[in-house]
Amino acid sequence: MTRGGSHASFNINHFAAIQQFFATRSRNAVTFRIYSYTPSPAYVITFDNIEVFGVASTPKPPAVTLLTPQKITTDKKEVLLSGYAYSGVGLDKVEYKFNGHPVRVAIGTYKWHFTVHAPKGTSKGTVTATDIYGNLSKPRKFTIVRTK
């Protein structure tokens, strides 16, 4: 396969004929051409303007859920949070932000977890998932109340 700008071509060897497949994109249309080269010009076949539906649609944003409660009350310094994330196109990462600290990446994607150091008092955070196209989920909020 070769690519050049908005053009891609594929070479397929089938029997004695050399076949090529070209896909050209302009604006919202894609034109496909399949050429079959044989000793006789009667076997050259060209297909133009084949429409492919649903391939270039914008995927739904991913979703992220917490398995742990949204509000955790504890006397422990270290708190483990976990959950699941879903995307119809594939997940890139799950990230969390906690208590004003920089964003960090959770361990795992579809099933994820992370541990935070909870100071005394109330701390808040969010978890988000990002799919392979860069679409971001709605943030899931969580609160940790450390009593000791």
Side-chain angles (χ1 to χ4, degrees), residues 4 12 23 45 49 51 54 65 68-69 72-73 79 82-83 112 118 130 134 146:
I12 304 166
I45 302 169
N49 298 321
E51 294 184 44
T65 60
T68 49
I72 299 169
T73 302
V79 179
S82 63
W112 54 265
T130 306
R146 185 170 148 217

Side-chain angles (χ1 to χ4, degrees), residues 64-143:
V64 66
T65 60
L66 286 166
L67 288 177
T68 49
Q70 276 189 290
K71 184 174 182 181
I72 299 169
T73 302
T74 184
D75 60 353
K76 299 184 190 287
K77 293 180 182 179
E78 303 294 318
V79 179
L80 174 72
L81 289 103
S82 63
Y84 291 101
Y86 170 79
S87 168
V89 297
L91 287 168
D92 180 41
K93 60 188 169 185
V94 173
E95 296 176 306
Y96 64 96
K97 186 168 175 69
F98 179 66
N99 215 25
H101 294 285
V103 173
R104 295 193 176 164
V105 178
I107 298 168
T109 52
Y110 291 97
K111 184 174 180 177
W112 54 265
H113 67 275
F114 59 86
T115 302
V116 295
H117 176 77
K120 288 183 184 178
T122 301
S123 302
K124 297 185 181 232
T126 58
V127 181
T128 56
T130 306
D131 69 19
I132 60 173
Y133 292 110
N135 297 312
L136 195 63
S137 70
K138 291 181 181 176
R140 290 288 178 207
K141 297 177 181 180
F142 64 91
T143 302

Side-chain angles (χ1 to χ4, degrees), residues 31-44:
T31 301
F32 294 94
R33 291 189 175 103
I34 301 170
Y35 298 97
S36 178
Y37 299 100
T38 60
S40 171
Y43 293 104
V44 176

